[in-house]
Amino acid sequence: MSLQEARGYDSSLAGRSILGNPQPVSIRAIGEVTQPGFYNLPPSVSPVADALRLAGGITPIADLRAVRVCRYLDNGEVSEEVVNLYDPLRSGAPLDELRLGNGDVVVVPKLDFAQADNYDSNLVASSTLAARQPVAVTILGEVAQPGFQVLPFSPRPVADALLTAGGITSEADLRAVTVRRVLTDGRTSETKVDLYTSLQTGSPLPDLRLGDGDVVFVPKVESNTDEYYDRVLVSRSTLAQPQIVVRILSYPGGGISIAPLPNGSTIADVLSAVPLQQADLGKILLVRFDPEQGKAITREIDGKKLLMGDPSQDIALQHHDAIVIGRNLISKITYALSTFTQPFRDVLGFLLFFDTLRDSASNLFGPGSDNNN
């Protein structure tokens, strides 16, 4: 009997007759189930749903609206039927009673973002059909530790993915976090998640579910789009990398130090640890590696204006920034950077440049050295 014929055939009536002898059937469950494979399904009033439970339950990215059942007929043809388990789940109506037979294949597709409207992933995830299993995803872009991550089951998957990757950097644009998914037919589905609005307004975080193989990409905020983007709010949020490391080259401080600071710290936070009466506050140098240009960029800060309350001088610091305090040392660093014949290849070369200066700190800052030279 084909699956289309089975729709109009009361197999329960036949099973209860003197001709019937209900037996377990051997089926295969594949797709978005936690344990794809072969199973012996006992007689059931909701066979398709019980087949998914037998396979360990569905994954967080299963689309219950289009579960396919495939049956190979004796004449070599393939009979196929689509079962919608989502609508009964949402309305409380009885589940589909399509009977399964030996050799039937139940296929659970991935949720396509383009067809995700009016699909309540939270409802599906909290149902008895769902499995609460960790998922393996790839997290790239402006996070502290990009790469492969295993995420536990969570009601806020995208946000927790960023935290698992060490938090976002100060350059992350939370307005357009991108999630990419490869569908069963090889097509790529993509959607954007806005975490910034939730952070700014206190509204609930997006509940987009992640599944095995998904890629989460956090873009870098563009300078021409950050007019209304509060970087300080983002850097001090729980989604941000909790700590940054800044190098401080200070003549009044007597050396070169590596300072761990809370994310969201500014130049003013660094000055609080500097002997201000000995510092040349009129000319503080902020040095930052620009990976796009492959070189260090500098900016002069007027510490006197900063202490007088000028917010334009209180720059938010980023991971791996270097701060130079002291006129003579500024001249040395500016000269060294301007005569550096090759650009820095990456941030490691940028950091090694300053670590080399730190190794010779006794010559630069020692009591017997001639700093005017």
Side-chain angles (χ1 to χ4, degrees):
M1 175 165 31
S2 71
L3 290 166
Q4 289 75 20
E5 293 170 333
R7 285 291 189 190
Y9 184 82
D10 192 344
S11 55
S12 296
L13 175 63
R16 292 193 301 269
S17 73
I18 60 173
L19 299 175
N21 184 17
Q23 298 289 323
V25 294
S26 178
I27 58 97
R28 186 158 62 106
I30 60 175
E32 291 306 310
V33 291
T34 58
Q35 299 171 9
F38 294 90
Y39 295 94
N40 288 322
L41 179 67
S44 167
V45 295
S46 54
V48 177
D50 285 344
L52 302 186
R53 295 189 184 99
L54 205 57
I58 59 172
T59 71
I61 58 174
D63 189 347
L64 289 182
R65 296 171 300 187
V67 178
R68 289 189 298 116
V69 179
C70 301
R71 176 174 297 172
Y72 294 87
L73 304 179
D74 293 338
N75 60 7
E77 295 180 355
V78 178
S79 176
E80 188 173 297
E81 191 76 2
V82 175
V83 178
N84 186 339
L85 296 178
Y86 176 73
D87 287 344
L89 188 66
R90 184 177 56 178
S91 63
L95 292 172
D96 196 298
E97 297 181 0
L98 179 67
R99 295 285 167 175
L100 299 180
N102 281 316
D104 284 356
V105 180
V106 181
V107 184
V108 184
K110 285 183 181 180
L111 179 65
D112 187 342
F113 293 129
Q115 302 173 353
D117 293 342
N118 302 319
Y119 189 80
D120 190 344
S121 296
N122 276 333
L123 174 65
V124 175
S126 61
S127 72
T128 58
L129 295 176
R132 301 193 172 192
Q133 298 289 330
V135 295
V137 301
T138 304
I139 307 172
L140 303 173
E142 294 298 320
V143 291
Q145 300 168 8
F148 299 101
Q149 302 288 350
V150 177
L151 308 179
F153 180 84
S154 167
R156 51 173 207 174
V158 178
D160 284 348
L162 304 186
L163 294 175
T164 303
I168 59 172
T169 70
S170 56
E171 289 292 287
D173 190 345
L174 290 181
R175 297 170 296 188
V177 178
T178 302
V179 180
R180 298 190 184 103
R181 176 175 299 162
V182 178
L183 303 178
T184 309
D185 58 6
R187 292 182 298 113
T188 299
S189 181
E190 183 176 296
T191 190
K192 294 188 183 298
V193 180
D194 181 3
L195 297 176
Y196 179 72
T197 300
S198 298
L199 186 65
Q200 190 179 42
T201 62
S203 57
L205 287 167
D207 58 359
L208 178 70
R209 297 280 162 178
L210 299 178
D212 284 334
D214 282 358
V215 178
V216 180
F217 178 74
V218 183
K220 184 176 182 179
V221 63
E222 300 291 339
S223 58
N224 59 344
T225 65
D226 66 348
E227 181 180 358
Y228 302 105
Y229 188 74
D230 192 341
R231 291 175 182 251
V232 175
L233 172 66
V234 172
S235 63
R236 292 179 177 174
S237 72
T238 56
L239 294 176
Q241 177 184 4
Q243 194 176 72
I244 61 175
V245 174
V246 174
R247 284 162 169 75
I248 304 173
L249 289 71
S250 172
Y251 170 72
I256 303 175
S257 61
I258 298 178
L261 298 171
N263 202 341
S265 298
T266 64
I267 296 287
D269 298 314
V270 172
L271 291 184
S272 62
V274 175
L276 299 181
Q277 66 276 13
Q278 303 176 28
D280 181 7
L281 296 179
K283 209 172 187 182
I284 299 172
L285 191 67
L286 173 64
V287 188
R288 177 172 295 166
F289 176 72
D290 186 346
E292 293 183 358
Q293 301 183 48
K295 65 179 183 180
I297 57 175
T298 62
R299 176 172 177 176
E300 288 190 5
I301 307 297
D302 191 328
K304 294 180 180 178
K305 291 183 178 180
L306 189 155
L307 295 176
M308 294 298 292
D310 185 349
S312 66
Q313 302 299 312
D314 197 14
I315 306 299
L317 297 174
Q318 296 181 16
H319 195 45
H320 295 323
D321 277 354
I323 300 171
V324 185
I325 302 174
R327 183 186 303 278
N328 295 310
L329 185 55
I330 288 178
S331 300
K332 292 177 180 289
I333 299 299
T334 303
Y335 176 78
L337 291 173
S338 63
T339 56
F340 210 79
T341 57
Q342 297 294 330
F344 298 113
R345 297 187 62 182
D346 51 28
V347 70
L348 180 60
F350 173 74
L351 297 178
L352 288 175
F353 173 77
F354 286 96
D355 287 343
T356 302
L357 293 181
R358 184 180 60 177
D359 294 339
S360 59
S362 58
N363 295 329
L364 289 172
F365 300 106
S369 63
D370 184 2
N371 287 297
N372 290 325
N373 292 326

